[in-house]
Amino acid sequence: MRYRQQSLIDPQEIGYRRFCRDHKLLNQKIGTPAATDPTVVLAAEVELAVRYCLATHFGSLSPHRVLSYERRNALGYQRCYRELDAVVGDRCHPQFFVEIKSVTQRGRGIKAGLPQLQRSLAIAQERWRSLRGILIEVAWMAELSEQESTPLLATDLFEDLASCQKDESDERITPIYWSGQQLAAGLAELGMPLNPDILGWANATCFSQNLAG
């Protein structure tokens, strides 16, 4: 058995915080973007906005969104963690792991997020066999198709999420594509508009090359 003792824990759990502190020191040696980097701020804002949509549709999200597990290596088993963007269901019976990606070109989020979510599911499904994944890509693009430029109603956002519950295929991961403009319109209808400054950043030319997520 390569993995064992899978569980979901709160991001504030002391062992996980210690793990984050240790890895933060490591990351600082190779360099990380500043906390005020607009790309990082936008990605964080999008995560919060999508979590709001998820919680509104599914009723609630689990606060335990860190996958804790032991991985076997040459020396035995080592405690490891994987932080998830959202978990639908409770910690004992999770229904969906959710990965959220903000990008400037459609498809980049799926390409980056799919292997991450597949890895998390592969580890967790040894305990929770029916667990599935949702991969949500929010693309902030200068040029939109006619469909992508059409504002989404909040009900449209929820219909996309409901399709994950109805999916009876063998696919373990359901991808959802929203343009940033569509997400912003849906959130405004729900009474949770995105920060105007962040929307300004998203539309600025500095995002034409790269976006965090």
Side-chain angles (χ1 to χ4, degrees):
M1 182 181 297
R2 186 177 180 186
Y3 306 109
R4 69 180 189 183
Q5 296 188 7
Q6 296 92 330
S7 64
L8 290 169
I9 63 173
D10 190 287
Q12 300 304 316
E13 194 267 350
I14 188 168
Y16 178 62
R17 300 315 301 170
R18 187 183 302 115
F19 173 85
C20 289
R21 287 195 299 269
D22 293 344
H23 283 70
K24 182 179 180 181
L25 292 174
L26 176 63
N27 289 338
Q28 285 176 345
K29 294 179 182 178
I30 61 175
T32 55
T36 54
D37 184 334
T39 62
V40 177
V41 175
L42 177 62
E45 183 79 2
V46 167
E47 281 191 18
L48 290 174
V50 174
R51 285 193 197 115
Y52 179 83
C53 293
L54 290 165
T56 302
H57 174 72
F58 289 106
S60 64
L61 298 177
S62 174
H64 305 95
R65 59 181 185 87
V66 174
L67 177 61
S68 172
Y69 61 98
E70 289 189 354
R71 180 179 60 194
R72 186 174 63 190
N73 56 30
L75 301 177
Y77 282 92
Q78 177 185 15
R79 174 61 56 185
C80 300
Y81 303 92
R82 295 180 69 84
E83 186 164 345
L84 306 159
D85 291 335
V87 173
V88 177
D90 61 56
R91 65 185 304 182
C92 296
H93 301 94
Q95 297 175 291
F96 296 101
F97 282 0
V98 184
E99 182 74 23
I100 303 165
K101 290 295 181 184
S102 299
V103 295
T104 53
Q105 183 178 351
R106 180 166 177 167
R108 287 178 58 185
I110 299 298
K111 183 177 180 179
L114 188 59
Q116 295 176 355
L117 189 52
Q118 287 174 329
R119 177 71 182 279
S120 297
L121 289 173
I123 295 168
Q125 284 172 343
E126 292 189 10
R127 175 176 178 184
W128 300 292
R129 300 291 184 183
S130 61
L131 181 64
R132 299 170 68 96
I134 302 174
L135 178 51
I136 299 176
E137 177 185 278
V138 179
W140 300 89
M141 299 174 291
E143 296 183 3
L144 301 174
S145 67
E146 181 178 351
Q147 179 180 359
E148 290 164 339
S149 61
T150 302
L152 282 183
L153 300 175
T155 52
D156 296 321
L157 300 178
F158 296 148
E159 284 180 6
D160 286 344
L161 296 175
S163 68
C164 302
Q165 297 170 286
K166 300 174 183 177
D167 190 352
E168 297 180 355
S169 70
D170 293 332
E171 296 297 326
R172 288 294 186 177
I173 297 175
T174 301
I176 293 177
Y177 302 90
W178 292 331
S179 72
Q181 293 85 339
Q182 289 174 322
L183 176 62
L187 287 168
E189 184 190 353
L190 291 172
M192 188 188 168
L194 288 174
N195 186 319
D197 292 336
I198 291 176
L199 286 177
W201 288 340
N203 293 320
T205 57
C206 64
F207 289 101
S208 63
Q209 299 299 320
N210 186 40
L211 186 64

